[in-house]
Amino acid sequence: MNHGDVIKGDKLVLRGLKFHGFHGVKLEERKLGQKFLVDVDAWMDLQAAGKSDNLSDTISYTEIYRIVRDVVEGQPHNLLESVAQLIASTTLTKYPQISAVRVNVGKPHVAVQGPLDYLGVEILRFQNTNAHR
C-alpha cells in the first residue's frame, strides 16, 4: 500500500483518551504524575467489517485502548516521543492488518506561561517501517 493511500483510507479513530502517568524529565513529573491526552488513528481496510457487521472482521477499539492505557499508565518514559513510539510499535506489532497508525500524546498541564490546551507530539508510523529502534 502506498503511504499516500493510507492517509485517505479507512481507519479506526480513538479520541480524547485520558490517563494518569508518570512521564517526563522533571522529578515532580515522575513523583506526582499528571494527566495525558491521547488520540489514535489506525488505518486498515474496514470494508469486510462494513459488509459483514461482524467484530471478527475488524479490530475492537477496546484492544487499542488497552495498549494506550498500558503504555501511559505503565513504565515511565522521559519523553512523549518515546511514549508515542511505544504505543505505535505495539499496535503495529500486535495487529499486522493495521497498515499505519498516528499517535498524538499531549500534556495539558505544563510549566508554560500563557493559555494552552496542551503541548505534545504526533507521530505517524507505517507497518512496513515498524522498526523497534
Side-chain angles (χ1 to χ4, degrees):
M1 178 177 271
N2 176 318
H3 289 186
D5 293 341
V6 170
I7 302 304
K8 298 175 192 166
D10 303 345
K11 66 182 176 180
L12 300 173
V13 177
L14 291 84
R15 292 286 182 270
L17 285 62
K18 296 178 178 119
F19 302 100
H20 189 85
F22 295 86
H23 312 289
V25 294
K26 296 180 181 171
L27 181 59
E28 309 83 54
E29 294 175 308
R30 293 293 183 111
K31 188 175 180 181
L32 301 174
Q34 62 189 300
K35 181 167 63 171
F36 291 87
L37 305 174
V38 181
D39 294 333
V40 177
D41 293 319
W43 280 269
M44 64 178 287
D45 187 348
L46 300 175
Q47 189 171 10
K51 290 179 178 178
S52 72
D53 195 27
N54 191 334
L55 183 59
S56 66
D57 289 328
T58 189
I59 296 169
S60 172
Y61 307 106
T62 60
E63 294 301 317
I64 298 173
Y65 179 93
R66 282 188 194 110
I67 291 171
V68 175
R69 182 197 62 210
D70 291 349
V71 170
V72 177
E73 293 182 348
Q75 181 72 33
H77 294 258
N78 288 326
L79 303 176
L80 294 183
E81 291 86 343
S82 181
V83 173
Q85 178 63 37
L86 185 56
I87 292 168
S89 64
T90 303
T91 301
L92 291 169
T93 299
K94 189 168 183 181
Y95 299 106
Q97 63 271 50
I98 294 176
S99 55
V101 64
R102 178 184 295 138
V103 179
N104 183 313
V105 180
K107 287 182 179 182
H109 305 293
V110 292
V112 173
Q113 297 286 331
L116 56 84
D117 289 334
Y118 68 89
L119 299 179
V121 300
E122 180 177 280
I123 65 169
L124 177 62
R125 298 292 182 265
F126 295 89
Q127 188 63 253
N128 62 349
T129 58
N130 181 23
H132 300 277
R133 302 174 204 170

